[in-house]
Amino acid sequence: MSLFSNLNEMHLDVLKEIGSIGTGNAVTAVSSLINKKVQMNVPSVELIEFDTLADFVGGPEIILVGVLIGISDDVSGMIMFLMDIDTAHNLLGSVLSSMGIEASTDGSLSELELSAIEEISNIMAGSYLGSLSGLTNLRVRQSVPMLAIDMANALLSVPAIEFGKMADHVLFINSSFSVENVAVNGYFILVPDEDSFAKIMRSLGVEL
């Protein structure tokens, strides 16, 4: 039986609090990066099975921008940040305009824009992981980010193949915020292995 199948409401409340604090710090990092006020909505945090992930991001064939970051040290696993392609363009417009650069208007993404997306996602994921480390006093080291643009099924197959053998559930955070009335909707997927998940909960004083 999976460790995740034994979770009760208290465990889920703790996970939701981690998700909310981590997302808040990630959005604050974006605000500092672009030097613009960012309004965050309350994130939706759920523990879901790998097999149903595509349904939560808009369906298996929706085109997404995904950045995958491996996690090691006291906590092992991965974190992934996903945005649909329209959201990525909206966010890029805000980021590049703060730098005096005009974003592409033909629907394509230049090398500069791809690099900007990767860096934004890396900063957001890093802020999230920093919050997790600070809350738990566990060391969390992140790998070099890997960027891809593809259909949801293809993107999500990477963590499923790589980490599905370690965990059958993920912490799924739907994070929406706005920059100068431009809506941005993204998803964090945190996949700790079962041992790491147990460490996280114990460090917060919650026994499984």
Side-chain angles (χ1 to χ4, degrees):
M1 179 180 292
S2 167
L3 174 67
F4 298 99
S5 61
N6 295 324
L7 299 183
N8 58 33
E9 283 302 316
M10 181 179 70
H11 298 138
L12 294 176
D13 286 344
V14 170
L15 290 174
K16 288 177 182 179
E17 186 65 17
I18 293 173
S20 295
I21 292 172
T23 303
N25 287 341
V27 171
T28 299
V30 171
S31 179
S32 299
L33 176 68
I34 63 179
N35 198 28
K36 292 180 180 179
K37 185 177 180 180
V38 175
Q39 185 69 41
M40 187 184 85
N41 298 323
V42 177
S44 167
V45 183
E46 299 179 72
L47 194 69
I48 63 175
E49 295 182 3
F50 256 122
D51 293 346
T52 63
L53 265 177
D55 296 331
F56 285 80
V57 297
E61 296 185 356
I62 189 171
I63 302 297
L64 298 175
V65 177
V67 174
L68 177 69
I69 297 172
I71 307 169
S72 59
D73 218 326
D74 289 338
V75 177
S76 298
M78 56 133 289
I79 188 169
M80 193 175 216
F81 182 67
L82 298 165
M83 296 179 285
D84 65 54
I85 196 70
D86 291 335
T87 290
H89 280 294
N90 289 343
L91 183 55
L92 274 172
S94 295
V95 172
L96 294 180
S97 67
S98 70
M99 301 165 60
I101 301 172
E102 189 171 335
S104 301
T105 57
D106 61 358
S108 64
L109 292 171
S110 66
E111 286 298 319
L112 173 64
E113 289 170 325
L114 289 171
S115 178
I117 288 177
E118 188 172 63
E119 183 60 22
I120 294 164
S121 301
N122 192 36
I123 289 171
M124 292 186 72
S127 297
Y128 187 99
L129 294 174
S131 301
L132 178 64
S133 179
L135 287 168
T136 60
N137 289 318
L138 295 172
R139 294 185 302 272
V140 182
R141 181 181 301 171
Q142 63 187 79
S143 70
V144 175
M146 294 182 290
L147 172 70
I149 301 174
D150 209 330
M151 290 191 296
N153 256 0
L155 286 181
L156 295 172
S157 68
V158 176
I161 292 169
E162 184 67 24
F163 297 98
K165 57 183 177 290
M166 296 193 300
D168 53 7
H169 284 67
V170 301
L171 186 63
F172 180 85
I173 302 111
N174 187 340
S175 170
S176 61
F177 56 96
S178 58
V179 183
E180 296 182 335
N181 297 320
V182 176
V184 177
N185 193 55
Y187 312 98
F188 284 105
I189 299 171
L190 179 64
V191 191
D193 63 30
E194 290 201 3
D195 287 345
S196 297
F197 180 76
K199 283 183 189 176
I200 291 169
M201 300 303 280
R202 280 197 303 269
S203 71
L204 296 169
V206 179
E207 289 299 326
L208 296 172

